[in-house]
């Protein structure tokens, strides 16, 4: 299966060449992330695409000085909502009604259930829930990149508060939760490139309940 071949090919690149990824491929990767499922369809996050080299340089010291931060083509920052609000929930439900062209009683009841639930919760709890949704889109982006023959490096090793400052995220009600460097591997400089992929066997990973 072609997709599985691509996923066997991919790995977390430790060095990138600086070669630029075409905007068409980036658009396809972003579209895959946009189409990813999220809880209640709220998509409680945004994706910031950093192409500006100076901004990458600012981020690098707060990401363990990883070379892929500045050597990648595009740096994606997945930023989750800092909390759920009535306005944010209503906006997505209204969008659904607009696109589908009708209102559904069950859907409106579900809206009200969320309005009675999420906004009253602790903001940190809400952020953690939103961040989990961002990770679903993050995974879709990684898979899409592999399909496009593009390398990625998932990055959790960074200081979110500092990245938030650099990108002005808190003012937008967002908090960075994970980053994805996109580019092409520098095979001559990457110690990981020729090592075998190591994963648990299906037997150790999967339990089947008949």
């Amino acid at each position: 299966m072609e997709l599985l071949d691509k996923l066997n090919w991919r790995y977390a690149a430790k060095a990138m060449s600086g070669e630029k990824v075409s905007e068409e491929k980036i658009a396809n990767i972003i579209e895959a992330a946009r189409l990813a499922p999220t809880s209640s369809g709220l998509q409680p996050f945004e994706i910031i695409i950093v192409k500006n080299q100076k901004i990458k340089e600012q981020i690098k010291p707060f990401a363990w000085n990883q070379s892929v931060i500045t050597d990648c083509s595009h740096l994606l920052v997945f930023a989750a909502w800092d909390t759920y609000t009535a306005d944010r929930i209503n906006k997505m439900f209204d969008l659904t009604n607009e696109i589908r062209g009708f209102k559904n009683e069950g859907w409106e009841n579900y809206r009200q259930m969320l309005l009675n639930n999420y906004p009253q919760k602790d903001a940190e709890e809400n952020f953690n829930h939103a961040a989990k949704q961002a990770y679903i889109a993050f995974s879709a982006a990684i898979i899409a990149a592999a399909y496009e023959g593009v390398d990625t490096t998932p990055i959790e090793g960074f200081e979110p508060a500092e990245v938030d400052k650099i990108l002005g995220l808190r003012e937008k009600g967002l908090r960075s939760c994970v980053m994805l460097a996109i580019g092409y591997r520098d095979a001559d400089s990457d110690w990981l490139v020729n090592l075998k992929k190591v994963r648990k066997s299906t037997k150790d990973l999967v339990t089947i309940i008949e």
Side-chain angles (χ1 to χ4, degrees), residues 48 50 55-56 58-64 69 75-79 155-171 174-179:
I48 292 81
V50 182
I55 299 298
K56 292 182 195 175
Q58 291 177 39
I59 291 173
K60 185 177 180 180
F62 301 109
W64 298 358
I69 296 290
L75 179 66
L76 306 189
V77 179
F78 289 76
I155 302 169
E156 286 187 307
F158 68 98
E159 298 178 41
E162 297 299 332
V163 172
D164 292 352
K165 288 179 184 177
I166 292 169
L167 300 177
L169 297 181
R170 293 298 179 98
E171 295 86 344
L174 299 169
R175 293 170 58 182
S176 57
C177 54
V178 67
M179 301 193 296

Side-chain angles (χ1 to χ4, degrees), residues 19-33:
E19 180 183 351
K20 297 302 179 183
V21 177
S22 73
E23 291 301 325
E24 180 183 2
K25 290 191 174 189
I26 293 296
N28 289 340
I29 293 166
I30 294 298
E31 183 66 0

Side-chain angles (χ1 to χ4, degrees), residues 118-136:
Y118 281 127
Q120 288 72 37
K121 288 186 177 182
D122 177 75
E124 191 67 21
E125 181 181 355
N126 279 340
F127 165 72
N128 288 331
H129 183 272
K132 290 178 182 178
Q133 312 315 306
Y135 268 82
I136 297 172

Side-chain angles (χ1 to χ4, degrees), residues 11 17 19-20 30 43-44 55 65 70 83 89 92 109 119 127 130 145 152 157 167 172 177-178 183 196 200 202 205:
Y11 74 110
S17 66
E19 180 183 351
K20 297 302 179 183
I30 294 298
Q43 293 183 285
I55 299 298
N65 283 307
T70 47
T83 191
I89 293 170
M92 289 306 296
N109 289 339
F127 165 72
T152 56
L167 300 177
K172 299 176 182 177
C177 54
V178 67
K196 288 186 176 181
K200 289 182 180 180
T202 303
L205 182 66

Side-chain angles (χ1 to χ4, degrees), residues 61-128:
F62 301 109
W64 298 358
N65 283 307
Q66 295 176 74
S67 64
V68 292
I69 296 290
T70 47
D71 294 341
C72 69
S73 172
H74 296 65
L75 179 66
L76 306 189
V77 179
F78 289 76
W81 290 354
D82 56 3
T83 191
Y84 288 101
T85 65
D87 182 63
R88 282 171 159 170
I89 293 170
N90 281 325
K91 184 176 181 180
M92 289 306 296
F93 273 78
D94 290 343
L95 178 63
T96 297
N97 290 340
E98 178 186 343
I99 290 175
R100 292 179 177 169
F102 65 90
K103 287 189 176 183
N104 176 278
E105 182 180 357
W107 185 239
E108 290 304 316
N109 289 339
Y110 189 70
R111 178 208 297 253
Q112 196 57 51
M113 183 189 74
L114 295 187
L115 291 173
N116 291 338
N117 187 1
Y118 281 127
Q120 288 72 37
K121 288 186 177 182
D122 177 75
E124 191 67 21
E125 181 181 355
N126 279 340
F127 165 72
N128 288 331

